[in-house]
Amino acid sequence: MTYDPIGRLLLTPVDREAPERVARLRALGLGERPEPAFDAFARELAQLTGAPYAMVNFLGEECQFFAGLHAPSRAGEGRFMARDLGYCPYVVVRRKALVLEDVRDFPRFAANALVDEIGIRSYLGAPLIDRTGLALGTVCVADTEPRRWGRSGLDTIKSFAAELMTRIRRREDGLIIW
């Protein structure tokens, strides 16, 4: 974590792997354009969890890119988001799943602009760990209501992250084409 000049804790932790991640994403051909297969993956995750928002999110040095997106129509127009917004950058740097049943219960996360701008109240995300050991991004869901994700939610998001990484590996190996 870092602090700004007046001593406030910043949400986005220092991400020392960002340059290496960007190079890996480019090598994989990911993180620069929407992909229908990732949109379908996000839609399936949203349907399974009942969450209005689901994303396949890749993180660059300056921004986040939703290569897969399921969102209410008006909110789903943009695929880019600043790195200091949302909860995914924290998941990537931590390299662990994050469960926030009510973001307002956590001072570090309650002040995030997504709470005020979109009304996000709960989040569930897991990192996408590549075969090289890099965290490329996340698979996540969010809701405008507090949610009790519980153990089953955590297991679901981890399972979806593992499934997506399997598909990405198979794509890299030329075994499947999306």
Side-chain angles (χ1 to χ4, degrees), residues 145-157:
E145 300 292 328
R147 294 279 300 263
R148 290 194 172 279
W149 300 109
R151 184 67 190 185
S152 65
L154 181 61
D155 290 344
T156 297
I157 203 71

Side-chain angles (χ1 to χ4, degrees), residues 3 9 14 20 49 68 81 99 104 106 143 151 153 157 178:
Y3 290 86
L9 182 66
V14 175
E20 191 176 355
T49 62
M81 186 165 62
V99 179
R104 295 185 312 175
F106 302 90
D143 201 336
R151 184 67 190 185
I157 203 71
W178 282 341

Side-chain angles (χ1 to χ4, degrees), residues 126-138:
L128 296 169
I129 308 294
D130 183 53
R131 64 172 44 158
T132 66
L134 285 171
L136 302 178
T138 66

Side-chain angles (χ1 to χ4, degrees), residues 54-172:
M55 287 82 53
V56 174
N57 186 10
F58 296 114
L59 273 70
E61 291 185 79
E62 302 298 324
C63 67
Q64 303 174 62
F65 177 69
F66 303 117
L69 177 63
H70 175 82
S73 59
R74 208 175 116 244
E77 294 171 7
R79 295 227 179 212
F80 290 93
M81 186 165 62
R83 269 199 58 99
D84 60 346
L85 293 178
Y87 311 101
C88 294
Y90 190 79
V91 171
V92 166
V93 171
R94 264 183 59 174
R95 304 169 60 81
K96 293 183 181 178
L98 178 63
V99 179
L100 300 171
E101 293 182 344
D102 189 338
V103 298
R104 295 185 312 175
D105 290 342
F106 302 90
R108 173 182 292 155
F109 300 116
N112 195 287
L114 292 182
V115 175
D116 294 330
E117 291 175 16
I118 301 176
I120 297 300
R121 289 285 304 277
S122 58
Y123 171 90
L124 177 64
L128 296 169
I129 308 294
D130 183 53
R131 64 172 44 158
T132 66
L134 285 171
L136 302 178
T138 66
V139 171
C140 63
V141 294
D143 201 336
T144 56
E145 300 292 328
R147 294 279 300 263
R148 290 194 172 279
W149 300 109
R151 184 67 190 185
S152 65
L154 181 61
D155 290 344
T156 297
I157 203 71
K158 286 180 171 182
S159 174
F160 266 73
E163 171 63 25
L164 186 58
M165 286 314 306
T166 297
R167 291 181 189 186
I168 289 170
R169 277 191 297 276
R170 292 180 70 203
R171 175 174 140 169
E172 180 182 20

